[in-house]
Amino acid sequence: MQRRKSGRTRQERERFLAALANPVPPGGVGPRVVMGKDRLLAVDPVRYRCSQLAAQLADEWVEYVAATGVTAHAQVYDTAIDRFCRHVDEHLGARATGVSLAASGLFDLLVGWELALSEGYAEGSMRPRMISSALRTLIVRRDDHAERLVDADLARLARGTALIGWGETTERDEFKRKEKRAIVRAAWQSAHDTRRRLREGWDLAEQGRHPMSGSWTRIPDLLWGLSRDEITPDDIRVNMPPVRQWSPELRDLAVGKAGFLPQFARIQLCRWLFRQLYPFTRELHAFRVLLMDATGYASEEVTGFGESDVEFLPKGVRLTLLKNRAGLLRHRAFRDRGAAESEGQLTVDWPRREASEVVRQLLAVTARVRAKAPHVTDTLFVSGSVRNGFDPYFGAWAPDARGGSFGEWLDVMGIEVEGDRHIGRMRKSVKVEKAIVTEGRVDAAADDHTEETFANHYAQGTTLRILSGRTITTAQQHWFDKALTRVDGPTAVTPGAAGEVDQGQLMKSGLSAEEAEAILTGQLDMGVSHCKNPYESPFSLPGELCAVAPLRCLECRNAWILPSNLPQLLLFYDHLKHLRTRLTPQIFARLWGQSWVNLKAILDDRTPEEVTQARKHIAAGDAVLDLPLSANTEFDA
């Protein structure tokens, strides 16, 4: 799969910036440029033989981005145009000149391109379908305009079912609670170190003067010039003496990832100087972590509000949060946890989970960068840096930039986590904590999205699954134990040391001598059990003979079950098992549910040898179960 080179020359960047300031009209000549999430995106039709086709798709792309306001996904459309136009050039060769969406012949090319998109991607990747859907969206959008011609067959294909599936996604699990605590502690430490470094850097700049009257190798003078915009990084490159004349101190400051390399020494030094004055990309991850932890909101929301979206309250802060994916704009107040205030500033700044304090620190850390980037008003996450070519940059934060990703921040802070190192797992961790605190109330845990979203994306975490499993197991065990120990159930007697039940053993279980003697001699045998007193049945009037034996003996507190009752119990088990096939589960549970539970519990306590021996007695005809005629007739009501 051929990929487009991402590097651009300075001339190209200047050309694209000019096109962004003065857009090319639809159908015109020149590159189509949009502003993505963190960089310029451009489609230049002259790069393709099918330049007319590329221009038509690029015009729809520019209009679509302007109409929808998409930024992060704008690159998907850019990629789709590039991939398809390269495919057309490859297959049509010189005939690609003059090809357009209105001409016939693109139908088969689109089908072949879409079916081949999965090549080069891992199995189950969603990327091919995203690219395919992006191109189809642009074709359909053009076809929606009557004055913009699109081949009928091509439009019908674009509006139809996609030829490739969406692939599979694996839900990210939340961080372990130990991992999350370590991340939050590291974030507070990182924020503290950032504030300290910037404070010391600006204090050092106050000690300097202009390098022309001071020295181009003296750190305070260089910081003084950069902090007051009296010099630029390029001035440092031009005016500094050769590297071989640098002091050991300067050499130490110019060390990069690959060590000290003379050819990169000046750019490394300029980057170090900028970091003493302005926050850089990687360390802003700490403030995102702290805001997500304090508010419970998603990454795009806590990084998507500007200074005008912040209102400090007497005991907290109100933020205006925008969720691009759902198109939701919300105003949320976050209260402090009873912290004392002194002259408008909180007395303790870490480690506390208070959104107001995190926002205060973020405002202070990024104040000077925002002053140099007045065009960035939709976020407080801005950084200053020196890019290739000694160009100073002040602008919006790029959290996935090379060398500044969340995973690299974890590495620098010395934090090890299992699984994917993605900031989305922090959001899940906070949601899990909220679910635990609210004792599983979904409406409370899903306070910033739908309950369906919570069930599909957040309730699947390992922590909640374990807690849910424990809760269900505990509940089941509770009711099972209750069923076995209920006062209305029978008493099962196990054989003594001699292998038989004697009178003394029955008397120890709560029977009188007369009752124990009557049971042992079979005088109180009711069929499936013996009865302590058949004239005190809970199912009949006092003084009357029990009218429901033996059908309800397994639910009666007067029932005493001896080892000799095992054959009849097995026969009764077979009877109930047959009823389960004839009755609906609801009716069987209502009529026989408690007897079934008690009977299974009693039989489970018998050894396989005892059960086998009892079955032999049944097969030999030595054991029978006498049931009333009504036992063979069941009614649904």
Side-chain angles (χ1 to χ4, degrees):
M1 179 175 57
Q2 187 178 14
R3 296 187 183 274
R4 177 175 41 178
K5 294 182 179 180
S6 58
R8 295 192 179 116
T9 65
R10 176 175 294 202
Q11 291 76 14
E12 280 183 314
R13 290 199 300 270
E14 292 176 352
R15 184 164 167 252
F16 293 158
L17 285 172
L20 183 65
N22 299 288
V24 176
V29 178
R32 276 63 168 176
V33 184
V34 301
M35 189 64 202
K37 185 176 182 181
D38 54 12
R39 63 188 178 92
L40 287 177
L41 302 173
V43 173
D44 195 350
V46 299
R47 290 183 171 180
Y48 312 99
R49 291 178 179 176
C50 57
S51 57
Q52 184 178 357
L53 172 65
Q56 291 174 340
L57 292 171
D59 287 337
E60 298 300 327
W61 172 55
V62 172
E63 289 187 9
Y64 180 78
V65 171
T68 60
V70 297
T71 55
H73 293 289
Q75 187 176 2
V76 178
Y77 295 86
D78 173 26
T79 302
I81 296 172
D82 176 71
R83 298 274 181 85
F84 183 62
C85 290
R86 287 177 180 272
H87 179 80
V88 173
D89 285 354
E90 181 182 350
H91 284 77
L92 295 184
R95 292 182 293 126
T97 305
V99 170
S100 71
L101 292 173
S104 59
L106 286 180
F107 183 94
D108 292 337
L109 286 174
L110 180 58
V111 171
W113 172 77
E114 191 168 309
L115 291 176
L117 270 178
S118 298
E119 298 176 4
Y121 289 96
E123 184 178 356
S125 172
M126 299 181 66
R127 188 72 177 176
R129 177 61 181 270
M130 291 175 62
I131 295 174
S132 168
S133 298
L135 188 72
R136 285 171 173 255
T137 297
L138 298 179
I139 296 174
V140 170
R141 191 178 191 281
R142 187 171 185 85
D143 186 54
D144 286 338
H145 295 78
E147 71 280 7
R148 305 175 187 177
L149 299 180
V150 177
D151 177 64
D153 292 336
L154 185 65
R156 186 164 53 253
L157 174 63
R159 294 180 184 276
T161 304
L163 303 178
I164 53 178
W166 269 113
E168 299 176 355
T169 57
T170 302
E171 286 290 333
R172 295 188 183 93
D173 208 355
E174 74 274 7
F175 289 119
K176 295 180 180 178
R177 301 190 71 181
K178 182 179 179 180
E179 294 173 344
K180 178 180 176 293
R181 286 195 298 269
I183 292 173
V184 173
R185 284 197 300 267
W188 275 114
Q189 182 64 57
S190 176
H192 177 74
D193 293 343
T194 299
R195 293 167 55 230
R196 177 181 49 78
R197 188 194 72 246
L198 296 180
R199 183 174 62 251
E200 292 175 353
W202 282 88
D203 289 344
L204 192 59
E206 293 296 324
Q207 303 172 21
R209 54 182 176 171
H210 198 292
M212 294 297 293
S213 57
S215 172
W216 286 99
T217 60
R218 186 170 180 265
I219 297 300
D221 294 343
L222 296 178
L223 290 174
W224 185 95
L226 290 174
S227 66
R228 288 162 173 76
D229 294 329
E230 294 291 335
I231 63 173
T232 66
D234 197 55
D235 293 332
I236 297 177
R237 178 186 65 85
V238 172
N239 291 283
M240 286 197 74
V243 175
R244 64 178 177 274
Q245 299 178 15
W246 286 16
S247 65
E249 178 189 8
L250 282 180
R251 288 173 173 266
D252 291 341
L253 299 180
V255 173
K257 290 184 177 180
F260 179 79
L261 300 176
Q263 64 270 35
F264 298 115
R266 285 179 172 82
I267 186 65
Q268 292 293 353
L269 177 62
C270 288
R271 288 172 178 170
W272 181 88
L273 292 170
F274 253 60
R275 290 179 181 180
Q276 309 315 301
L277 301 174
Y278 309 106
F280 59 96
T281 298
R282 189 176 60 222
E283 60 190 354
L284 289 177
H285 286 289
F287 293 93
R288 179 171 62 167
V289 166
L290 295 176
L291 280 175
M292 292 179 69
D293 180 54
T295 66
Y297 282 79
S299 172
E300 68 176 36
E301 293 176 278
V302 300
T303 59
F305 62 85
E307 187 175 1
S308 61
D309 300 319
V310 178
E311 177 189 358
F312 286 104
L313 306 172
K315 293 184 179 180
V317 64
R318 179 180 287 110
L319 304 176
T320 298
L321 303 173
L322 174 63
K323 193 167 190 177
N324 291 327
R325 289 170 294 174
L328 295 177
L329 187 67
R330 294 176 286 201
H331 307 278
R332 292 290 185 268
F334 301 96
R335 304 293 179 183
D336 294 342
R337 292 168 174 80
E341 297 187 13
S342 175
E343 298 181 358
Q345 297 295 326
L346 295 177
T347 56
V348 180
D349 57 9
W350 72 299
R352 282 213 320 271
R353 300 174 63 179
E354 292 183 352
S356 63
E357 179 59 22
V358 180
V359 173
R360 280 192 178 93
Q361 292 195 25
L362 182 59
L363 283 168
V365 165
T366 61
R368 292 186 174 94
V369 180
R370 286 183 285 110
K372 292 181 177 294
H375 59 285
V376 181
T377 59
D378 59 346
T379 181
L380 297 181
F381 284 76
V382 291
S383 62
S385 62
V386 179
R387 298 186 171 180
N388 292 333
F390 292 87
D391 295 329
Y393 170 80
F394 299 96
W397 182 48
D400 297 321
R402 180 179 299 177
S405 67
F406 178 65
E408 288 168 303
W409 178 81
L410 291 175
D411 290 336
V412 170
M413 301 307 299
I415 300 174
E416 296 184 1
V417 297
E418 295 183 8
D420 189 11
R421 300 192 297 179
H422 193 279
I423 190 62
R425 297 178 65 190
M426 173 62 67
R427 158 83 159 166
K428 280 199 168 184
S429 297
V430 176
K431 299 299 291 183
V432 166
E433 288 183 355
K434 184 178 291 186
I436 294 173
V437 170
T438 57
E439 297 180 348
R441 294 195 299 273
V442 175
D443 59 338
D447 57 346
D448 59 338
H449 49 66
T450 64
E451 295 184 15
E452 180 180 2
T453 299
F454 179 86
N456 291 337
H457 296 284
Y458 299 103
Q460 309 303 321
T462 298
T463 304
L464 289 184
R465 289 202 305 269
I466 292 175
L467 291 176
S468 299
R470 288 177 179 174
T471 301
I472 294 172
T473 302
T474 302
Q476 290 175 336
Q477 188 64 43
H478 167 75
W479 290 109
F480 183 72
D481 293 343
K482 187 174 181 179
L484 294 181
T485 59
R486 55 181 293 159
V487 297
D488 291 339
T491 300
V493 183
T494 58
E500 298 180 356
V501 176
D502 55 30
Q503 185 175 353
Q505 185 178 356
L506 293 179
M507 292 176 63
K508 289 181 181 179
S509 301
L511 295 177
S512 64
E514 294 77 11
E515 293 170 340
E517 179 66 23
I519 288 177
L520 290 175
T521 57
Q523 300 179 32
L524 298 177
D525 190 352
M526 307 301 291
V528 296
S529 70
H530 297 268
C531 185
K532 176 182 177 181
N533 189 341
Y535 292 95
E536 293 182 358
S537 171
F539 303 100
S540 302
L541 294 176
E544 293 185 1
L545 185 64
C546 179
V548 296
L551 298 180
R552 297 300 172 193
C553 289
L554 291 173
E555 301 177 31
C556 183
R557 60 178 178 269
N558 288 335
W560 288 73
I561 299 177
L562 304 184
S564 58
N565 293 123
L566 183 55
Q568 285 75 20
L569 290 173
L570 290 173
L571 290 171
F572 193 55
Y573 174 85
D574 295 338
H575 174 71
L576 293 184
K577 189 175 180 180
H578 176 64
L579 291 180
R580 292 187 73 198
T581 65
R582 295 171 50 192
L583 303 176
T584 63
Q586 295 85 349
I587 294 177
F588 180 83
R590 175 167 56 84
L591 296 177
W592 301 103
Q594 190 60 57
S595 293
W596 178 256
V597 170
N598 292 351
L599 177 57
K600 289 190 65 178
I602 294 170
L603 294 179
D604 288 342
D605 287 338
R606 303 303 181 186
T607 65
E609 292 76 12
E610 290 178 317
V611 173
T612 301
Q613 188 64 31
R615 287 291 184 188
K616 291 181 179 179
H617 284 288
I618 295 174
D622 297 334
V624 296
L625 179 64
D626 294 324
L627 297 177
L629 293 177
S630 61
N632 297 308
T633 305
E634 298 292 341
F635 301 93
D636 291 346

